[in-house]
Amino acid sequence: MSSSAGQNFSNIMEGAPNDDSPPSVVQLDGLVVLKIIKHCKENLPELVTGQLLGLDIGPILEVTNCFPFPKPPEESEQPEETDSGAEYQIEMMRCLREVNVDNNTVGWYTSTFLGSFLNEAMIETQINYQMTIPKCVVVIFDPLKTKQGSLSLKACRLTDSFMEFYREQNWTQESLNKSGLSFNDIFQEIPIQIHNTLMGSALLWELEDSISLTADFDKLDLSTNPFLEKNLEFLIEYIDDLAAEQNKFQYWQRNAEKQALIHKKSLEEGTEEDENALKQTPPPSRLDSLLITNQINSYCKQINQFSSLSFSKLFLFNSLNKE
């Protein structure tokens, strides 16, 4: 029964128009959100990943299920272990298909630490996903930011302009200037909607009367030092990394100018040129600078957002003390 239904669905999908435009909304089932939170919190402080399953229906990307990826053994970069991870994913999807659960891959999820998720490995993973499944997304969950009182969950995908530029692998400053690509053009954030089934909504209504409200005074804590300190520490580290990348680029520029002067002087004097002196080193990749700048911008936004909430608390309690 399930196999015939799967064949009918595949026939329908083959006749449907192939629209590779990005989704306008990512709809997460409440069970998926709980699974992601549980998996990420249980493995702190390690970062974990998992697979997202669901359906692509028009402009809405429905995520109805997920499962975690197995934790790789320490110091394991053997091809056998990589193959075992792929076999695990295939076996999981086969088992879900047998019990008539959505087993279509629509992306993946990962945990992060204070928003520090952007690196080259993450971009390569997302590019591989989007080249195979154009509408797929990555859902990023931050457990530490969630402890501050709001659910930190966002869905992102790489922009088409960045993917085209990444395929060329020409990360020179001249190429970046011609393309007009900036650090804001790397990721596109997709709005998230959390959807509950009718049974889940009925359960929440039943539990509403039985749950007693308790005062959570932790949210009234005026201390902002731990969170801001961590953000500022990471911000300073990334600024140092950006300065190091700029120094490397300036060093290459000085060498290029020096070699150009030697070449010009030898042409004017008609002397033979030294081959070693003419060997120009390739320009350094500007990809790292682009990613570091994007991460610095992310930390600045986090600090600005958290500081505004802290000032609101301070003004509120100042008014209460006056009364």
Side-chain angles (χ1 to χ4, degrees):
M1 181 71 178
S2 60
S3 60
S4 61
Q7 290 176 357
N8 293 334
F9 179 76
S10 62
N11 294 334
I12 294 172
M13 292 304 293
E14 287 177 1
N18 185 16
D19 184 12
D20 293 341
S21 59
S24 59
V25 175
V26 176
Q27 182 175 291
L28 297 177
D29 275 14
L31 181 62
V32 174
V33 176
L34 292 178
K35 281 184 176 181
I36 293 174
I37 293 174
K38 182 175 182 291
H39 182 211
C40 295
K41 285 190 173 182
E42 285 180 349
N43 290 274
L44 282 175
E46 295 181 4
L47 303 181
V48 294
T49 57
Q51 189 95 312
L52 299 176
L53 307 173
L55 295 171
D56 171 20
I57 303 177
I60 300 175
L61 188 68
E62 293 187 5
V63 182
T64 57
N65 203 355
C66 67
F67 63 86
F69 290 151
K71 187 185 300 184
E74 295 182 358
E75 300 180 358
S76 65
E77 294 184 356
Q78 301 297 327
E80 295 84 2
E81 291 163 351
T82 305
D83 294 339
S84 65
E87 291 175 1
Y88 169 81
Q89 297 179 38
I90 295 172
E91 184 66 19
M92 278 290 298
M93 295 171 70
R94 185 186 65 80
C95 294
L96 291 171
R97 183 173 62 251
E98 289 180 354
V99 296
N100 201 23
V101 176
D102 293 336
N103 66 321
N104 302 310
T105 302
V106 293
W108 60 295
Y109 70 85
T110 181
S111 58
T112 185
F113 185 74
L114 292 179
S116 58
F117 63 90
L118 190 58
N119 52 51
E120 194 166 354
M122 190 262 191
I123 286 178
E124 288 179 355
T125 303
Q126 181 61 19
I127 281 181
N128 292 332
Y129 269 92
Q130 282 189 216
M131 289 179 67
T132 309
I133 311 165
K135 286 194 174 184
C136 75
V137 297
V138 52
V139 173
I140 302 161
F141 174 69
D142 193 333
L144 298 180
K145 284 183 67 178
T146 302
K147 285 185 178 180
Q148 301 298 322
S150 61
L151 180 62
S152 178
L153 196 69
K154 62 181 179 180
C156 298
R157 68 187 308 276
L158 294 171
T159 60
D160 295 336
S161 58
F162 180 83
M163 287 190 62
E164 291 177 3
F165 197 84
Y166 192 89
R167 291 192 192 101
E168 297 175 0
Q169 290 295 316
N170 186 14
W171 294 103
T172 61
Q173 187 64 45
E174 184 180 357
S175 300
L176 284 175
N177 294 337
K178 287 182 179 179
S179 65
L181 193 71
S182 70
F183 64 89
N184 287 320
D185 301 325
I186 300 177
F187 272 106
Q188 173 189 7
E189 188 170 349
I190 311 296
I192 288 180
Q193 288 182 356
I194 298 178
H195 172 264
N196 290 318
T197 61
L198 295 177
M199 293 295 291
S201 300
L203 177 61
L204 292 175
W205 280 106
E206 288 291 332
L207 293 175
E208 185 178 12
D209 297 332
S210 61
I211 296 177
S212 58
L213 296 177
T214 57
D216 186 7
F217 293 106
D218 292 338
K219 293 182 179 179
L220 301 179
D221 186 13
L222 299 180
S223 174
T224 59
N225 291 333
F227 186 81
L228 285 180
E229 280 180 5
K230 283 294 182 184
N231 273 280
L232 289 172
E233 285 177 9
F234 289 145
L235 181 61
I236 291 171
E237 288 179 7
Y238 275 94
I239 289 175
D240 290 339
D241 293 341
L242 182 62
E245 290 293 328
Q246 292 296 106
N247 288 334
K248 281 196 286 186
F249 182 70
Q250 290 174 3
Y251 178 76
W252 173 84
Q253 278 185 320
R254 287 195 295 268
N255 284 341
E257 292 175 358
K258 183 178 178 181
Q259 290 174 349
L261 289 174
I262 293 173
H263 179 66
K264 182 179 179 181
K265 186 177 180 181
S266 61
L267 289 177
E268 291 175 353
E269 296 177 354
T271 58
E272 294 185 359
E273 301 177 1
D274 187 3
E275 292 183 358
N276 294 327
L278 286 177
K279 286 183 179 178
Q280 187 174 0
T281 57
S285 173
R286 303 298 290 163
L287 175 60
D288 291 337
S289 297
L290 204 66
L291 300 182
I292 291 171
T293 307
N294 186 289
Q295 198 62 62
I296 290 174
N297 182 58
S298 176
Y299 283 129
C300 290
K301 286 182 178 179
Q302 287 180 182
I303 293 172
N304 186 29
Q305 181 181 5
F306 188 77
S307 300
S308 62
L309 293 174
S310 300
F311 276 119
S312 300
K313 288 182 185 178
L314 290 173
F315 283 122
L316 174 62
F317 278 90
N318 187 29
S319 302
L320 292 175
N321 287 331
K322 288 180 181 179
E323 294 178 1

